[in-house]
């Protein structure tokens, strides 16, 4: 169980699940246009009304308006608006399966599972349904504990020509339902038969292990989970440790946890390890009811579908249903939150994160993901608040302090970022060097920006000693030396190496060209700057630099074109380029501007490659 991966599902299992499971939405008519509204359908409006908390925009009359609005909201992942408009469309035409499935997708994605159940039941009453409505009805029966009803529904769906045979999902649902009615022997036999399929065996064996543990067969459960693939995830590891504790094999369980890399970001594992070593009693609670097992089944499918390179709406649907079926399953809520973040639905995601906090499951790894997503969406105040909360809750977690420092640095609060990095690096004092280099790099950037170059240089050199092949790091120190007119030969060597490591990076090519420029090697500066402009044609700074280089090699008309181009890109908005200085160069030429600056005692200030540094920071994370 070495190097247990607590965050990513087994890749082979993902491929198998995606290949073996599909719940396609019903398709509209061949023309792909909504049917015209029919007056006789208006009586359904009160039965399937738009949700009360929908958008403020007034609902339209007829079908075309809400249908098109629903489609647009779906494209934008605005699930609440989509639920609103699809529900109105269904009220206009309550027998259109395409509209009904669209409403189900939107309602569940928005977290309104209760209304989705009502709609799914209406569809069944009309004498038919879809794959998705069948899934919703099954989950509803499981939530109510009606396992006999679920078994009957599975049998009926197997005969329904309007539903597709999903042997994997249906079979495992049946096994958990059999356990729900107390038929453990048939439930276990069903799991065992399904485990014979090699492609999905690890996933089925995991559920078989959970089922065996539920009925008290801990030896059988442990034997199954000893296969690394069967439990190579956070819940699987937790289950195995709890099962070993029931077998009085606590030392073996503790040894498993000791091998987990990065265990400090999973507080429940840390707590479990402490209980093992202190002798505290440990119960098996990964699943307590068949509904919990079914929720984990849905979560497994959600994780598999989420790994699909193409956006897959059913991943969120399965995760939502899992969280609704087993509200205390923190991993399901976390999956929902992360999927919503990926779709830029931060308000809905925040509801799930808040639920996790109320449950006492503020997982640092989840909070770090949340902070990063908020920052990427330019919601810096919320991200900073979340980072401060994380450092308060886990003051000994270095990643939390690095995240806070990064947020402050990205907002150019460099002086405030330095203490955050100081704290992170003090916590990493005894850590392996490879865990320290990024903190040193980031602190070096912040220190350089507040004018403490001696400290910055020391940090950057130490980081390079640890990570000599990181192009953004090499480029930053090299550029800094060039800017200060120090260590020019060594600076050029660093930047050249950065170019070799990342030959298509426009920021680094710009650095190389500008290094040549500052050293008076104007002819050598032309080629790398032209390469840089080819990848960054809309960057005002690079256009300005190319103009300066062209001027120095006598290509003055081309220089003026580049300066005019830089002005057209509104350089003042970024703060990187002085628009007035560009205008002065256009009016009087670069040579005269430089002479004027020299006479005034001004030294040309080069903006540091912060954008390039941020790109390097993102890749390092």
């Amino acid at each position: 169980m070495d190097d247990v991966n607590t965050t990513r599902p087994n890749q082979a299992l993902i491929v198998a699940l995606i290949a073996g499971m599909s719940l396609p939405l019903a398709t509209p008519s061949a023309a792909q246009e909504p049917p015209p509204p029919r007056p006789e359908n208006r009586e359904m409006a009160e039965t399937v009304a738009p949700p009360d908390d929908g958008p403020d925009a007034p609902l339209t009359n007829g079908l075309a308006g809400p249908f098109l609005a629903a489609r647009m909201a779906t494209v934008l992942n605005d699930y609440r608006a989509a639920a609103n408009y699809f529900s109105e469309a269904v009220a206009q035409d309550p027998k259109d399966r395409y509209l009904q499935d669209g409403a189900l997708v939107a309602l569940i994605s928005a977290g309104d599972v209760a209304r989705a159940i009502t709609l799914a039941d209406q569809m069944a009453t009309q004498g038919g349904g879809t794959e998705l409505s069948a899934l919703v009805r099954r989950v509803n029966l499981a939530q109510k504990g009606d396992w006999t009803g679920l078994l009957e529904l599975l049998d009926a769906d197997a005969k329904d020509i309007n539903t597709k045979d999903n042997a994997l999902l249906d079979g495992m649902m049946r096994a958990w339902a059999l356990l729900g009615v107390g038929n453990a022997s048939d439930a276990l036999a069903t799991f065992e038969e399904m485990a014979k399929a090699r492609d999905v065996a690890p996933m089925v064996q995991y559920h078989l292990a959970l089922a065996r543990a539920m009925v008290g067969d801990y030896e059988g459960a442990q034997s199954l989970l000893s296969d690394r693939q069967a439990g190579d995830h956070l819940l699987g590891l937790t289950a195995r440790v709890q099962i070993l504790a029931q077998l009085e094999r606590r030392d073996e369980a503790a040894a498993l946890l000791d091998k987990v890399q990065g265990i400090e970001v999973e507080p429940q594992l840390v707590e479990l390890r402490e209980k093992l070593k202190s002798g505290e009693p440990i119960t098996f609670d990964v699943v307590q009811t068949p509904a919990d097992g079914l929720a984990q089944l849905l979560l497994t499918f959600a994780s598999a579908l989420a790994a699909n390179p193409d956006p897959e709406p059913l991943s969120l649907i399965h995760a939502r249903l899992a969280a609704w079926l087993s509200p205390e399953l923190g991993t399901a809520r976390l999956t929902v939150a992360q999927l919503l973040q990926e779709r830029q639905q931060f308000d809905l995601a925040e509801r799930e994160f808040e639920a996790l906090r109320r449950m006492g499951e503020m997982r640092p790894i989840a909070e770090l993901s949340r902070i990063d997503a908020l920052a990427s969406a330019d919601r810096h105040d919320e991200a900073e608040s979340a980072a401060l909360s994380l450092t308060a809750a886990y003051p000994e977690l270095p990643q939390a302090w690095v995240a806070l420092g990064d947020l402050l640095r990205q907002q150019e609060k460099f002086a405030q970022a330095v203490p955050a990095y100081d704290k992170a690096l003090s916590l990493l004092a005894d850590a392996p060097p490879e865990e320290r280099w990024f903190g040193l790099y980031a602190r070096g950037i912040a220190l350089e920006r507040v004018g403490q170059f001696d400290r910055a240089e020391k940090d950057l050199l130490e980081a390079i000693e640890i990570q000599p092949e990181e192009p953004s790091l090499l480029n930053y120190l090299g550029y800094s030396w060039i800017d200060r007119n120090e260590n020019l030969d060594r600076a050029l060597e660093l930047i050249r190496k950065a170019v070799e490591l990342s030959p298509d990076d426009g920021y680094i090519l710009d650095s190389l060209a500008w290094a040549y420029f500052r050293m008076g090697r104007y002819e050598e500066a032309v080629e790398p700057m032209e390469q840089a402009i080819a990848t960054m044609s809309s960057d005002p700074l690079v256009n300005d630099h190319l103009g300066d280089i062209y001027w120095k090699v006598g290509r003055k008309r081309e220089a003026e074109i580049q300066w005019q181009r830089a002005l057209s890109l509104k350089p003042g908005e970024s703060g990187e380029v002085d628009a007035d200085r560009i205008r002065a160069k256009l009016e009087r030429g670069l040579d005269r501007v430089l002479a004027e600056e020299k006479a005034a005692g001004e030294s040309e200030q080069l903006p540091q490659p912060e954008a390039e540094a941020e790109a390097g920071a993102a890749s390092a994370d």
Side-chain angles (χ1 to χ4, degrees):
M1 200 76 183
D2 294 345
D3 303 338
V4 172
N5 182 342
T6 61
T7 60
R8 294 184 177 86
N10 179 276
Q11 294 301 309
L13 174 57
I14 288 172
V15 174
L17 283 175
I18 292 173
M21 177 270 178
S22 173
L23 285 175
L25 297 180
T27 56
S29 61
Q32 297 292 313
E33 292 292 337
R38 296 192 291 270
E40 64 270 23
N41 292 331
R42 298 187 184 278
E43 64 191 30
M44 294 294 292
E46 295 184 1
T47 310
V48 187
D52 294 335
D53 61 348
D56 295 333
L59 299 178
T60 60
N61 293 322
L63 181 57
F67 171 77
L68 294 174
R71 290 291 299 271
M72 179 58 68
T74 300
V75 169
L76 298 174
N77 293 325
D78 187 349
Y79 301 120
R80 284 175 291 188
N84 185 18
Y85 290 119
F86 265 124
S87 293
E88 187 188 1
V90 170
Q92 298 292 331
D93 189 354
K95 294 184 179 180
D96 188 290
R97 291 291 179 257
Y98 176 74
L99 297 177
Q100 290 170 327
D101 257 359
L104 286 176
V105 169
L107 287 166
I108 298 169
S109 297
D112 198 346
V113 178
R115 286 182 53 79
I117 290 170
T118 299
L119 177 57
D121 286 342
Q122 289 177 21
M123 293 168 69
T125 301
Q126 293 171 355
T130 63
E131 293 288 322
L132 184 54
S133 67
L135 177 64
V136 172
R137 295 182 65 220
R138 294 174 190 179
V139 172
N140 183 39
L141 290 171
Q143 195 273 340
K144 294 189 294 187
D146 185 358
W147 300 107
T148 299
L150 176 54
L151 287 170
E152 292 173 352
L153 185 58
L154 285 166
D155 289 337
D157 286 343
K159 301 175 183 177
D160 190 343
I161 61 172
N162 292 320
T163 60
K164 180 182 176 182
D165 180 25
N166 283 296
L168 178 60
L169 183 62
D170 292 358
M172 296 189 70
M173 276 191 168
R174 180 178 299 279
W176 281 114
L178 286 168
L179 202 61
V181 298
N183 191 345
S185 59
D186 283 354
L188 297 177
T190 300
F191 279 127
E192 289 168 352
E193 181 63 27
M194 297 186 70
K196 294 178 181 178
R198 181 177 302 176
D199 288 343
V200 296
M203 186 265 282
V204 179
Q205 286 175 350
Y206 171 67
H207 283 267
L208 175 57
L210 296 182
R212 287 195 176 281
M214 273 192 60
V215 299
D217 181 9
Y218 296 117
E219 288 284 1
Q222 159 57 19
S223 177
L224 289 163
L225 291 179
S226 62
D227 180 346
R228 178 170 176 170
Q229 285 188 310
D232 188 20
H233 45 77
L234 180 61
L235 287 171
L237 176 62
T238 304
R240 188 177 180 191
V241 168
Q242 290 182 353
I243 288 168
L244 286 170
Q246 310 312 305
L247 296 170
E248 299 299 329
R249 295 162 61 179
R250 299 173 72 96
D251 290 344
E252 185 178 344
L256 281 177
L257 294 177
D258 287 338
K259 295 177 182 178
V260 177
Q261 293 184 340
I263 191 173
E264 67 276 1
V265 299
E266 296 292 356
Q268 67 267 49
L269 294 184
V270 174
E271 181 183 1
L272 193 53
R273 183 174 61 181
E274 291 173 352
K275 284 184 177 181
L276 285 167
K277 294 184 177 180
S278 67
E280 292 183 57
I282 293 174
T283 59
F284 176 76
D285 62 5
V286 172
V287 290
Q288 301 183 63
T289 68
D292 293 336
L294 188 51
Q296 286 210 36
L297 175 63
L298 293 167
L299 183 58
T300 300
F301 276 78
S303 298
L305 291 164
N308 193 333
D310 296 323
E312 178 50 76
L314 288 174
S315 58
L316 178 57
I317 288 170
H318 282 75
R320 279 287 199 190
L321 292 175
W324 183 79
L325 183 55
S326 185
E328 299 305 310
L329 183 58
T331 305
R333 287 190 176 274
L334 174 58
T335 302
V336 170
Q338 292 176 329
L339 290 172
L340 288 168
Q341 280 186 156
E342 291 175 6
R343 291 157 173 77
Q344 303 293 300
Q345 296 301 301
F346 296 102
D347 291 338
L348 289 174
E350 284 299 298
R351 292 185 183 183
E352 302 306 314
F353 282 119
E354 180 58 35
L356 286 167
R357 285 191 288 274
R358 289 197 303 268
M359 293 162 57
E361 290 201 18
M362 180 192 271
R363 291 175 56 189
I365 194 169
E367 289 297 298
L368 290 169
S369 170
R370 173 183 170 227
I371 291 164
D372 181 65
L374 289 170
S376 298
D378 294 326
R379 297 170 67 143
H380 294 293
D381 289 344
E382 295 169 75
E384 188 174 331
S385 176
L388 288 168
S389 297
L390 185 59
T391 57
Y394 296 94
E396 301 304 308
L397 184 67
Q399 294 94 327
W401 292 102
V402 170
L404 177 59
D406 287 348
L407 280 169
L408 295 169
R409 178 169 55 84
Q410 290 160 11
Q411 298 174 77
E412 299 188 357
K413 300 177 181 178
F414 300 111
Q416 295 171 256
V418 171
Y421 291 127
D422 287 343
K423 178 66 174 178
L425 288 166
S426 69
L427 293 169
L428 292 168
D430 297 324
E434 58 269 18
E435 295 182 22
R436 290 176 48 81
W437 82 268
F438 179 75
L440 290 164
Y441 172 30
R443 186 174 67 179
I445 294 173
L447 286 166
E448 187 276 330
R449 291 307 183 88
V450 296
Q452 298 185 44
F453 188 72
D454 288 345
R455 286 188 63 195
E457 183 180 50
K458 181 180 178 182
D459 277 353
L460 295 170
L461 285 169
E462 186 177 346
I464 288 174
E465 185 177 346
I466 298 169
Q467 200 74 274
E469 302 295 310
E470 176 56 48
S472 60
L473 173 56
L474 298 170
N475 182 54
Y476 197 93
L477 180 55
Y479 200 103
S480 299
W481 277 336
I482 291 290
D483 185 27
R484 296 172 63 84
N485 202 30
E486 297 175 359
N487 301 323
L488 297 183
D489 290 338
R490 173 65 173 146
L492 187 58
E493 179 185 338
L494 291 180
I495 296 173
R496 280 173 169 168
K497 183 175 180 181
V499 171
E500 290 175 5
L501 292 166
S502 188
D504 298 322
D505 190 311
Y507 291 111
I508 298 177
L509 289 166
D510 175 64
S511 294
L512 177 60
W514 205 240
Y516 285 134
F517 180 90
R518 292 298 296 269
M519 298 169 73
R521 297 162 63 172
Y522 305 122
E523 294 290 347
E524 292 175 83
V526 173
E527 182 179 356
M529 190 59 79
E530 288 180 338
Q531 290 175 340
I533 206 73
T535 62
M536 303 170 63
S537 60
S538 61
D539 188 296
L541 176 61
V542 177
N543 281 276
D544 185 34
H545 281 177
L546 182 57
D548 289 3
I549 292 170
Y550 279 161
W551 182 275
K552 284 295 187 180
V553 296
R555 297 162 64 175
K556 296 186 177 181
R557 179 56 185 151
E558 291 172 272
E560 291 171 353
I561 292 172
Q562 292 304 137
W563 290 331
Q564 288 169 344
R565 167 71 174 162
L567 276 179
S568 73
L569 296 170
K570 300 178 180 179
E573 293 183 0
S574 67
E576 291 184 329
V577 185
D578 185 346
D580 290 337
R581 188 172 186 270
I582 295 177
R583 294 187 186 97
K585 288 187 289 187
L586 284 166
E587 291 172 2
R588 302 189 294 278
L590 176 61
D591 295 332
R592 186 170 173 182
V593 169
L594 291 175
E596 292 169 353
E597 290 173 347
K598 184 177 181 179
E602 297 177 4
S603 59
E604 183 182 2
Q605 294 298 313
L606 281 143
Q608 284 289 354
E610 179 67 9
E612 183 274 329
E614 295 298 341
S619 65
D621 291 344

